[in-house]
Amino acid sequence: MAAFCRARHRWKRTNCLHVLTRNLTGKYDYDLVVIGGGSGGLACSKEAAQLGQKVAVLDYVEPSVKGTKWGLGGTCVNVGCIPKKLMHQAALLGTAVKDAKKYGWQISGPICHDWATMAEAIQNHVRSLNWGHRVQLQDKKVKYLNVKGSLVDKHTVKGLSKAGKEMILTAKNIVIATGGRPNYPTNIPGAVEHGITSDDIFWLKKSPGKTLVVGASYVALECAGFLTGIGLDTTVMVRSIALRGFDQQMAGLVTDYMDAYGTKFAWMCVPKRVDKLSSGALQVTWTDTHTGNEHKDTYDSVLWAVGRAPETKALGLDKLGVQLRKETGKIVVGADESTSVPNIYAFGDIGEGRPELTPTAIKAGKFLARRLAGHSTELMNYDNVPTTVFTPLEYGCVGLSEEEAEKRHGKDGIEVYHAFYKPLEFSVAERDASQCYLKVICERGGDQKILGLHFTGPNAGEVTQGFAMGFQCGATYSHLLQTVGIHPTCAEELIKVSITKRSGLDATVTGC
Amino acid sequence: MAHRLLVRRLWTLSAKDIRCLPASTATAAASSSSSFSTSLQSAPTRVSFLSPSRTLPRSLLHTSRREVSFNVQDHEDFTDRVIKNELPVLVDFHAQWCGPCKILGPRLEKAVAKQKGRVAMAKVDIDDHTDLAIEYGVSAVPTVIAIRGGDIVDHFVGIKDDEELDSFVSKVIGK
């Protein structure tokens, strides 16, 4: 495949010689131009440069509706993973301080949280990351241009600076890694004028106050989680189900915990309109689809977390015939991240059917760079990708959900080992561990290969990462049994799991 | 480096003239690298065309040409007040998110003040002036680069204590 593609490129290049006016030798300005300086774009461009390619990366942030903008690094660094995890940590620390009293710490009076202090510290850290990325590009000899990139033809990219200056770059290969941005609902009056999204929440200088989070994706739940944790009156408005696409039993445990933790839920409700009152507060009118009744309440902020849309509009893709999937607007990509146009590639959040995760974007970007530089033919493996939802009770998983496993193997074809456990630390703190749970979904019979692993509990991300490696190596239930647990931890409960759902026995773990 | 030497040579001719002129015209002339005769004529208007953030330090410049410590406004300003400065200038590359920078900044100002006008200090916020910082090879902050006659004569990265700073500054002045 690689040899064939290279031959095609050479043929096309000689054909284009007379068309390209920029240089007479037939060479392009760059071997590779990457549009998008996020997790994927940066990884791809740095890897390509390291392999000797002449690379340019174009990064540009169109301000959000509210005017929020940020530096180099993409969604993860600026308005995603990083600030999210830090705010989640802020919320967890609030809970920890409360627990601390039970452990003997003399803390007088109720503790309160100052948004401005947290926001400034987090925003400063993000800025240091923006700088770090900038230095890295410089070190790795990647040309960085803070311009909005768009495609002119399949070897030409136009860049538009904030000041309106235009520049043209030609490239042998073009990679699109522009990611996505949060959706605003289009049919709700007042939604755009008065609401904010995840693009804004992490950059607010003042506390969002009493907040309505609309949506039940991990973005919605994670945001609602840390807002509740820092002491804000928070409501989650869910249209139908939470964490669509995730194992629904686990999703239920996550939302049950949040409910017990203090987050309010408005299930089966859809907002109808948002009005700004003279006091400055926002009045939201919504319909309870279950009863048909209309309700109103006032909030200081309304956070829309109703999905993300790919950043493809301004790229000029239709002009070049780059195929998009109509329903999602994302770019249709092959297993090698190729698009319908040769020498144009796309990966990361922008790719149809791809996980919207940083680690997959980074890995895919590196593999793509190696293939484009002719150093490798290895394709990105999108299977067995572990992930964690950083809600107040964290949820980590790798592999199939129980629903998916049943669909593929039949209910009789799987064995689900499960357990309700109690983290040791919760005991002294007198915390409710009702939703701390884990399950290992295995093939029934034979080696009992593990199909999926799910865990809710503290540090779920840390716990799941190690098991993901076992999963990647084709771990079976007997491997689990052969592994000795580390005591006392929550993770060891995964090793010790023995009660099956099929048995109907009580899955609550008793003491050691 | 060669470019900076060239810029320095071009300006040495006019710089001496500018220094002799009254403060207002000196300011205006310094604001543009075009021929200074036109800027002399339009000195007051030229100042008013400058963005608000520029006018304040300009008025400070009015009071004392030998400003000890100042914030760099842009690339032009840097060329102006650092490269073309007849005093040695310590350029403090810092960032608001950098804790050690907040410690080094005041210490450096103290060390510079001790020299009673024999050395100047230019502060560059690397988030506001990323390209300039990258141009000077800054990676970690704080980075202090000593520039004398347009050339880099010394530099250090990270915090130094008062004694180390005093000796660094003395070396830069050439004591």
Side-chain angles (χ1 to χ4, degrees):
Chain A
M1 178 68 166
F4 172 75
C5 284
R6 251 181 262 132
R8 272 207 297 176
H9 290 149
R10 254 182 261 129
W11 177 82
K12 283 204 153 42
R13 267 160 73 173
T14 41
N15 243 27
C16 289
L17 240 173
H18 60 279
V19 175
L20 290 167
T21 51
R22 277 196 73 88
N23 41 66
L24 306 163
T25 59
K27 269 172 75 179
Y28 301 99
D29 296 332
Y30 293 95
D31 294 313
L32 179 66
V33 165
V34 179
I35 308 180
S39 305
L42 292 177
C44 184
S45 55
K46 287 188 292 196
E47 183 76 6
Q50 244 177 312
L51 297 172
Q53 303 251 295
K54 190 163 177 223
V55 190
V57 69
L58 277 51
D59 186 62
Y60 190 85
V61 180
E62 197 67 57
S64 75
V65 167
K66 278 281 176 283
T68 313
K69 50 187 187 335
W70 50 87
L72 179 63
T75 297
C76 173
V77 164
N78 295 286
V79 285
C81 327
I82 303 293
K84 175 269 298 282
K85 187 88 189 288
L86 290 171
M87 290 203 175
H88 171 62
Q89 177 65 5
L92 289 179
L93 287 170
T95 311
V97 174
K98 292 196 196 95
D99 289 353
K101 292 188 194 171
K102 303 259 169 63
Y103 277 90
W105 287 98
Q106 308 289 294
I107 298 161
S108 55
I111 46 154
C112 53
H113 182 266
D114 176 53
W115 175 276
T117 308
M118 172 186 74
E120 197 191 322
I122 292 174
Q123 287 155 19
N124 279 343
H125 178 65
V126 170
R127 287 193 194 98
S128 76
L129 296 178
N130 297 141
W131 169 254
H133 280 300
R134 182 72 190 86
V135 170
Q136 275 208 318
L137 289 181
Q138 184 76 8
D139 287 347
K140 299 266 196 283
K141 303 201 184 357
V142 175
K143 177 84 179 165
Y144 163 68
L145 294 161
N146 185 207
V147 295
K148 195 165 166 122
S150 59
L151 300 172
V152 178
D153 64 50
K154 58 191 178 65
H155 288 286
T156 314
V157 174
K158 181 172 85 176
L160 189 66
S161 78
K162 193 168 88 172
K165 200 171 93 166
E166 255 185 41
M167 62 191 76
I168 301 283
L169 302 95
T170 57
K172 178 169 154 209
N173 288 309
I174 299 172
V175 171
I176 301 168
T178 48
R181 293 295 287 266
N183 270 329
Y184 266 94
T186 44
N187 56 335
I188 299 172
V192 176
E193 302 92 293
H194 307 307
I196 59 171
T197 66
S198 57
D199 276 357
D200 310 296
I201 188 96
F202 304 110
W203 293 92
L204 295 178
K205 293 271 188 295
K206 287 205 311 248
S207 170
K210 179 178 173 190
T211 306
L212 174 69
V213 178
V214 182
S217 55
Y218 61 79
V219 174
L221 297 184
E222 286 173 344
C223 287
F226 67 68
L227 290 174
T228 307
I230 60 172
L232 299 177
D233 181 336
T234 312
T235 306
V236 178
M237 188 166 285
V238 186
R239 180 181 59 186
S240 57
I241 60 167
L243 294 177
R244 185 180 300 276
F246 285 85
D247 185 292
Q248 285 299 291
Q249 179 195 13
M250 306 309 288
L253 293 169
V254 166
T255 51
D256 284 348
Y257 184 92
M258 287 177 70
D259 187 72
Y261 188 63
T263 307
K264 299 183 206 153
F265 279 85
W267 292 99
M268 312 286 276
C269 293
V270 282
K272 271 185 77 182
R273 57 179 302 117
V274 182
D275 297 294
K276 193 157 190 164
L277 304 174
S278 52
S279 61
L282 301 174
Q283 184 179 79
V284 180
T285 310
W286 72 87
T287 310
D288 181 332
T289 59
H290 200 58
T291 61
N293 294 336
E294 211 180 76
H295 301 269
K296 276 185 172 54
D297 199 353
T298 47
Y299 301 92
D300 297 316
S301 307
V302 176
L303 175 68
W304 302 106
V306 292
R308 292 177 66 82
E311 275 282 271
T312 49
K313 294 169 236 73
L315 284 170
L317 297 175
D318 46 344
K319 206 166 40 163
L320 266 76
V322 175
Q323 207 191 343
L324 303 178
R325 174 135 188 261
K326 219 189 346 214
E327 293 87 341
T328 59
K330 292 190 182 183
I331 302 178
V332 174
V333 288
D336 59 345
E337 334 299 350
S338 58
T339 66
S340 54
V341 178
N343 85 281
I344 298 185
Y345 300 82
F347 74 98
D349 286 9
I350 202 89
E352 172 60 34
R354 297 295 186 225
E356 290 183 1
L357 297 168
T358 280
T360 50
I362 291 176
K363 213 179 187 81
K366 286 191 179 155
F367 281 17
L368 176 62
R370 288 179 206 157
R371 292 195 303 271
L372 292 179
H375 277 240
S376 147
T377 52
E378 196 179 352
L379 297 176
M380 172 65 189
N381 178 8
Y382 287 98
D383 294 327
N384 313 334
V385 173
T387 187
T388 293
V389 181
F390 293 99
T391 34
L393 182 70
E394 295 176 10
Y395 163 40
C397 60
V398 59
L400 306 176
S401 62
E402 197 172 329
E403 296 94 339
E404 189 61 34
E406 269 180 26
K407 204 158 81 171
R408 294 191 195 187
H409 300 263
K411 209 175 173 116
D412 288 334
I414 59 170
E415 193 75 87
V416 183
Y417 296 91
H418 69 152
F420 281 95
Y421 70 96
K422 184 168 188 170
L424 177 62
E425 295 79 3
F426 279 35
S427 53
V428 171
E430 291 173 8
R431 276 175 67 188
D432 183 6
S434 313
Q435 290 88 23
C436 292
Y437 176 82
L438 57 97
K439 65 181 175 184
V440 182
I441 305 163
C442 307
E443 273 176 3
R444 197 171 174 200
D447 281 332
Q448 292 207 302
K449 178 154 171 246
I450 300 176
L451 301 168
L453 191 145
H454 302 261
F455 174 91
T456 47
N459 307 304
E462 309 293 351
V463 169
T464 311
Q465 181 70 87
F467 285 96
M469 182 172 125
F471 195 87
Q472 187 68 21
C473 298
T476 62
Y477 181 66
S478 54
H479 284 131
L480 265 189
L481 289 181
Q482 285 164 42
T483 311
V484 179
I486 301 172
H487 186 71
T489 63
C490 297
E492 67 173 310
E493 300 300 339
L494 276 162
I495 301 295
K496 289 156 55 186
V497 73
S498 59
I499 309 244
T500 61
K501 275 199 178 179
R502 181 166 278 116
S503 69
L505 295 168
D506 179 9
T508 309
V509 167
T510 47
C512 50
Chain B
M1 185 74 92
H3 166 77
R4 285 198 286 277
L5 287 168
L6 181 65
V7 167
R8 194 185 66 143
R9 282 202 198 93
L10 284 170
W11 278 100
T12 325
L13 301 166
S14 41
K16 293 203 178 99
D17 293 280
I18 290 168
R19 302 239 190 298
C20 303
L21 294 165
S24 54
T25 44
T27 337
S31 75
S32 155
S33 52
S34 55
S35 84
F36 68 96
S37 55
T38 49
S39 48
L40 278 177
Q41 287 155 16
S42 56
T45 44
R46 190 165 282 276
V47 171
S48 65
F49 277 136
L50 297 171
S51 65
S53 61
R54 290 189 66 146
T55 50
L56 190 55
R58 290 299 178 205
S59 62
L60 286 174
L61 203 59
H62 267 106
T63 51
S64 157
R65 184 73 180 112
R66 291 226 212 93
E67 205 173 80
V68 174
S69 159
F70 54 90
N71 286 306
V72 170
Q73 299 298 304
D74 53 35
H75 213 287
E76 222 175 83
D77 190 34
F78 186 83
T79 308
D80 215 49
R81 296 205 276 171
V82 176
I83 304 292
K84 282 169 52 242
N85 204 324
E86 48 178 20
L87 292 176
V89 184
L90 298 179
V91 186
D92 175 17
F93 290 92
H94 64 93
Q96 74 174 92
W97 39 261
C98 162
C101 298
K102 299 197 198 320
I103 299 173
L104 182 72
R107 268 192 211 164
L108 199 56
E109 299 220 25
K110 208 169 76 180
V112 164
K114 267 194 216 165
Q115 297 301 330
K116 301 204 202 310
R118 276 180 292 237
V119 64
M121 177 172 151
K123 292 184 277 205
V124 178
D125 182 322
I126 63 170
D127 287 332
D128 294 336
H129 310 291
T130 308
D131 289 341
L132 183 63
I134 293 283
E135 191 188 315
Y136 278 83
V138 177
S139 61
V141 275
T143 289
V144 174
I145 296 181
I147 293 181
R148 196 170 63 211
D151 299 327
I152 298 176
V153 293
D154 207 346
H155 78 284
F156 69 84
V157 180
I159 297 194
K160 282 203 184 302
D161 63 33
D162 291 321
E163 239 178 69
E164 291 172 311
L165 282 179
D166 284 337
S167 99
F168 178 83
V169 175
S170 305
K171 215 174 88 179
V172 168
I173 296 174
K175 272 214 272 222

